[in-house]
Amino acid sequence: MLEASDSHPDIHWPSGFSPDQAHSFCQAQAVVHAPPAAAFALLADVTRWPDWVPGITGAWAGPLPRSFEVVFHGQRFEIFVGEHEPSRRLGWSGVGENVQLYQAWLFTAVAGGTHVVTENVVRGPAAKSLDALSPVWARRLNTLWVAQLKRLSESAPDQG
């Protein structure tokens, strides 16, 4: 199980959403053999998430310039972007029934591509229940999400 001290030092946590205040905290990372802009663009295209993000069956741009909605395993979430630094970082908070979350993404250029890190803090009764039933659920989800991002970024037409 990850501890708050395992959080990447460059993640910016909003008030009330640090890993030590979470009911669930997880991290996933990978080196993507594509430039940061390619991986970032894929993640930032929210309306395409149902095509590749595990558990997402619907996604819509919201009324605010930096808000959107997703359906994740049958539950609707309202998402508000807190950080948007193209090709470098993206972070959002989400609210669903009995659950709140903050997910942060970092994109760092490295030799041969991009080091991608995502961390997720989840709070609320639903998170407590899921964590009790399956303590590795969030880590598996984030690992699948990063694996899909890696696969699609590396297979983009301009990556050769």
Side-chain angles (χ1 to χ4, degrees):
M1 172 93 177
L2 286 174
E3 302 293 328
S5 61
D6 296 318
S7 180
H8 192 284
D10 292 332
I11 298 285
H12 300 156
W13 295 109
S15 180
F17 283 92
S18 67
D20 59 350
Q21 297 169 309
H23 295 125
S24 174
F25 167 62
C26 64
Q27 179 191 84
Q29 53 187 309
V31 172
V32 173
H33 300 289
F40 185 92
L42 182 63
L43 184 65
D45 188 356
V46 173
T47 59
R48 286 191 53 213
W49 284 7
D51 297 335
W52 66 274
V53 177
I56 301 284
T57 56
W60 304 270
L64 301 173
R66 291 174 37 168
S67 69
F68 55 96
E69 293 181 24
V70 297
V71 176
F72 174 68
H73 288 287
Q75 185 174 151
R76 184 179 151 272
F77 283 84
E78 293 181 77
I79 310 291
F80 304 94
V81 177
E83 285 191 283
H84 184 265
E85 191 178 322
S87 301
R88 172 131 169 73
R89 64 174 61 240
L90 193 56
W92 54 73
S93 55
V95 179
E97 186 176 336
N98 294 318
V99 66
Q100 300 170 324
L101 64 92
Y102 189 83
Q103 185 167 25
W105 292 79
L106 298 175
F107 301 83
T108 306
V110 296
T114 305
H115 181 232
V116 176
V117 176
T118 184
E119 293 187 5
N120 204 24
V121 165
V122 185
R123 297 175 31 157
K128 285 184 192 179
S129 297
L130 275 173
D131 203 43
L133 292 172
S134 178
V136 296
W137 70 273
R139 183 180 47 185
R140 284 185 183 152
L141 176 64
N142 273 8
T143 299
L144 285 170
W145 197 339
V146 169
Q148 284 286 81
L149 180 73
K150 176 179 171 60
R151 181 182 67 78
L152 292 171
S153 296
E154 292 175 352
S155 66
D158 62 348
Q159 297 311 305

